[in-house]
Amino acid sequence: TRNSHYWVSNENRLELFEPHIRDRGGVLIGVGTDQNYLFAGWAKSDVLILMDFDQAISELHHVYGIFFADHATPAAFVEGWSDAHVAEVQAKIAAKFPEPGLQKRIQRAYKTARGTVFARLKKVQRHLKKLNVANFLENQDQYDHVRDLWAKRRVVALRGDLTANGTMLAIGK
């Protein structure tokens, strides 16, 4: 990863996808982080496979999973990424991932990405609100859908490389 992690999407016009994926259902295979949750809410995906060539991104998705489990509303989900909740989230990571190596990697991903994720979620929230585009950061039904995917264990986060030969075959199997 050339010592860089792409903790958030750099795409700023995600709303352009919404009319093309609305209510499609099915399996959503996505690369990266935050945009996949927007897409899953819009598409009403049945399964969400989150993949990235960077293992740290997969580990960050485990933190997203904690947030979806612990926060019943979009507002609480976004607020959970703020400075005020760092110690609480770190304790939840420690409890959910007791294996020391994995816990350390997930804690590092959270610590490094938290501020960037919080800023990104707020930016996307403001942008889509201005455009009047419903999304999981504002719309309770979409949020509940994405949250339910996590609760039903229908979200898989893994390391994968679309430029390699085996990733899509392995996902298919």
Side-chain angles (χ1 to χ4, degrees):
T1 61
R2 296 183 301 271
N3 294 321
S4 297
H5 301 287
Y6 300 95
W7 300 117
V8 297
S9 175
N10 63 355
E11 298 169 3
N12 294 319
R13 296 297 311 274
L14 294 167
E15 73 279 359
L16 297 175
F17 290 93
E18 192 275 339
H20 304 286
I21 63 174
R22 183 185 313 130
D23 300 328
R24 293 183 72 89
V27 177
L28 188 152
I29 301 173
V31 175
T33 56
D34 55 282
Q35 73 275 19
N36 291 297
Y37 300 111
L38 283 170
F39 294 163
W42 291 333
K44 295 188 178 121
S45 303
D46 300 307
V47 175
L48 186 53
I49 299 175
L50 306 170
M51 168 183 51
D52 203 277
F53 65 89
D54 182 353
Q55 183 63 41
I57 300 306
S58 177
E59 290 155 356
L60 182 60
H61 282 297
H62 292 302
V63 179
Y64 274 95
I66 290 171
F67 276 69
F68 280 111
D70 288 351
H71 300 294
T73 67
F77 173 86
V78 173
E79 173 59 26
W81 291 93
S82 73
D83 290 340
H85 302 281
V86 170
E88 170 190 336
V89 174
Q90 289 173 327
K92 288 177 182 180
I93 292 169
K96 183 160 179 71
F97 301 99
E99 192 276 307
L102 179 60
Q103 182 184 130
K104 182 178 179 181
R105 292 190 311 272
I106 293 172
Q107 292 281 14
R108 184 182 312 125
Y110 169 69
K111 180 181 177 185
T112 307
R114 186 207 53 77
T116 303
V117 172
F118 183 57
R120 169 67 179 182
L121 295 176
K122 296 293 279 182
K123 178 182 176 181
V124 170
Q125 193 177 41
R126 284 189 306 271
H127 175 72
L128 294 177
K129 189 172 191 167
K130 187 187 313 180
L131 297 174
N132 201 31
V133 176
N135 64 86
F136 88 99
L137 296 169
E138 294 284 331
N139 180 280
Q140 188 66 49
D141 289 338
Q142 287 188 33
Y143 181 80
D144 288 344
H145 178 76
V146 177
R147 187 173 191 234
D148 192 51
L149 290 174
W150 275 101
K152 291 181 177 174
R153 300 180 58 157
R154 299 183 69 81
V155 178
V156 178
L158 53 92
R159 184 177 185 276
D161 184 349
L162 288 174
T163 66
N165 292 327
T167 299
M168 292 304 288
L169 290 174
I171 289 172
K173 287 179 183 178

